[in-house]
Amino acid sequence: MRILVTGGAGFIGSHLCERLLEKGNDVICLDNFFTGRKKNIQHLMDYKSFEFIRHDITNPILLEVDQIYNMACPASPVHYQYNPVKTTKTSVMGAINMLGLAKRVKARILQASTSEVYGDPEVHPQTEDYWGHVNPIGPRSCYDEGKRVAETLFMDYHTQNKVDIRIVRIFNTYGPNMLPNDGRVVSNFIVQALMGDEITVFGDGSQTRSFCYVDDLVKALIKMMEQDGFIGPVNLGNPSEFTILQLAEKIKEKLSSTTKIKFMPLPQDDPKQRQPNISLAKEKLGWEPTVSLDDGLSKAIDYFRKELNK
Ligand code: NAD
Ligand code: UDP
């Protein structure tokens, strides 16, 4: 297979490229390096079957491929709010360009959607048939609404043009290759604890998230792409739910850190709770995560120690 991974130099994309290469595929990694970096894919340059293209998916591109994983989009609130108009363009124009490409070359195309399509959810845990509770004009809207429109475009290209689509809704995922200044909670807390800085808990830390280790997620992405007959959307994530304060305490404990927890204002529209119901993924893909938060955090900590020389 010749496979295009947009956003392939980012956190999840780089792991996905690696796994696809190991499976013997030809991989074209496309990225504009907004939040991705060469370092994440440097080790893949040794594969003859690996190519990199520096390109922005808001512009069209013509390539001959069999499959497309559309991962390109900043995912950390800090990064996607930096240039919100560009974030919406990346989701919407990026989807149109990649779907146009898939239509022309008859490629199967998978969209990396997100639990953020559920917004600040009133249904808990979240199931795929829940339509969500999203503010259309808040600081998170560029990301949430952009991803929602992308899902709409995927569905409409499927019904109108018979494009072979897959939609996955990814819940909070963490692991090696996250940027130390990524701004998301797992990387922030580990970096703060390693540097001896105060751990910044937003609000009172009672809001919840459910954290999936990247290897588990990548397996599910590939399973979803490779199976026939089920287009999604499907939730992919680890259903073990923790409060943000529990996460802070767990990371402190794992690092035997004496650093203090500093409570800071809760950002506007920060979802109060998030936990995937993964019954559909279990049924349709025979998949469920196997890496516990403890084990996954240990691997992430090893990675950040090396990144920071700590
Ligand atoms: P990331 O920021 O590390 O990776 C995104 C990659 O896309 C980066 O390499 C970036 O440079 C690239 N990119 C951004 N805009 C682009 C553009 N216009 N053209 C080309 N490349 C562009 O984030 P990630 O965590 O690896 O997320 C990957 C995908 O998964 C995103 O689409 C994200 O929305 C989705 N997702 C991730 C999570 C998570 O917890 N990590 C959760 C839900 C959804
Ligand atoms: N958060 C926090 N401290 C930080 C970064 C994030 O308390 O330094 C909180 C944030 O308010 C949210 C949760 O951790 O409730 C997850 O934030 P993240 O940015 O990782 O992703 P989100 O799930 O909100 O998109």
Side-chain angles (χ1 to χ4, degrees):
M1 287 275 178
R2 186 183 284 188
I3 304 177
L4 172 65
V5 180
T6 77
F11 157 51
I12 299 175
S14 57
H15 289 274
L16 178 61
C17 286
E18 183 166 0
R19 190 73 202 99
L20 292 171
L21 287 166
E22 284 166 2
K23 283 169 70 78
N25 298 290
D26 280 352
V27 174
I28 303 175
C29 168
L30 180 157
D31 206 293
N32 70 350
F33 290 131
F34 177 53
T35 49
R37 53 178 185 173
K38 288 181 187 160
K39 193 174 172 187
N40 286 350
I41 51 167
Q42 201 70 55
H43 61 297
L44 306 180
M45 297 294 180
D46 297 338
Y47 283 89
K48 287 202 181 60
S49 46
F50 183 73
E51 274 175 82
F52 176 77
I53 300 174
R54 188 171 189 143
H55 179 79
D56 187 315
I57 59 160
T58 59
N59 297 311
I61 189 165
L62 191 52
L63 297 164
E64 292 295 325
V65 291
D66 305 302
Q67 292 180 347
I68 304 169
Y69 288 86
N70 189 34
M71 311 299 293
C73 185
S76 156
V78 177
H79 291 138
Y80 71 63
Q81 289 171 23
Y82 171 76
N83 184 344
V85 172
K86 178 69 195 237
T87 299
T88 304
K89 281 187 184 172
T90 294
S91 275
V92 177
M93 294 164 67
I96 291 170
N97 288 326
M98 290 306 120
L99 284 160
L101 173 62
K103 181 181 159 193
R104 267 199 303 274
V105 300
K106 297 198 173 11
R108 182 173 287 181
I109 178 166
L110 177 145
Q111 168 65 359
S113 189
T114 167
S115 52
E116 284 287 319
V117 300
Y118 303 123
D120 189 5
E122 292 153 317
V123 167
H124 192 76
Q126 292 77 56
T127 42
E128 290 84 353
D129 56 5
Y130 176 50
W131 289 357
H133 179 224
V134 176
N135 178 357
I137 52 166
R140 301 176 82 98
S141 311
C142 58
Y143 184 74
D144 300 11
E145 298 288 21
K147 290 283 187 179
R148 286 169 67 96
V149 173
E151 286 200 13
T152 308
L153 284 162
F154 268 68
M155 274 300 168
D156 288 341
Y157 267 78
H158 175 66
T159 23
Q160 199 177 325
N161 298 305
K162 305 281 171 286
V163 174
D164 189 11
I165 64 155
R166 301 286 180 272
I167 299 174
V168 298
R169 293 182 180 154
I170 303 169
F171 284 64
N172 297 65
T173 300
Y174 68 97
N177 295 1
M178 292 183 95
L179 296 174
N181 69 350
D182 177 89
R184 280 177 279 187
V185 68
V186 174
S187 45
N188 268 11
F189 286 2
I190 295 176
V191 169
Q192 288 163 342
L194 285 173
M195 301 301 288
D197 296 337
E198 289 175 325
I199 294 187
T200 54
V201 167
F202 299 160
D204 61 5
S206 63
Q207 70 273 33
T208 69
R209 295 292 186 275
S210 309
F211 300 100
C212 185
Y213 187 67
V214 64
D215 288 358
D216 278 333
L217 181 83
V218 165
K219 280 183 198 148
L221 294 176
I222 295 174
K223 271 182 182 271
M224 183 61 179
M225 179 64 105
E226 288 183 348
Q227 57 76 39
D228 293 319
F230 170 57
I231 63 170
V234 64
N235 290 339
L236 298 181
N238 191 319
S240 309
E241 185 185 16
F242 298 87
T243 67
I244 294 305
L245 194 54
Q246 281 175 326
L247 177 74
E249 274 156 5
K250 200 177 244 309
I251 289 173
K252 270 187 70 171
E253 188 188 305
K254 288 184 80 72
L255 286 167
S256 308
S257 161
T258 52
T259 191
K260 286 207 174 63
I261 292 180
K262 178 179 170 189
F263 291 92
M264 294 177 67
L266 188 67
Q268 189 194 326
D269 297 343
D270 198 287
K272 284 182 273 307
Q273 50 183 359
R274 184 180 295 152
Q275 182 190 30
N277 177 318
I278 59 162
S279 305
L280 196 60
K282 281 186 190 161
E283 180 199 327
K284 299 284 186 185
L285 308 177
W287 171 86
E288 63 182 308
T290 58
V291 182
S292 66
L293 183 62
D294 251 313
D295 291 348
L297 283 179
S298 299
K299 292 174 205 239
I301 287 169
D302 286 348
Y303 158 77
F304 281 112
R305 274 193 199 284
K306 286 190 198 117
E307 280 289 302
L308 303 169
N309 287 322
K310 283 284 168 187

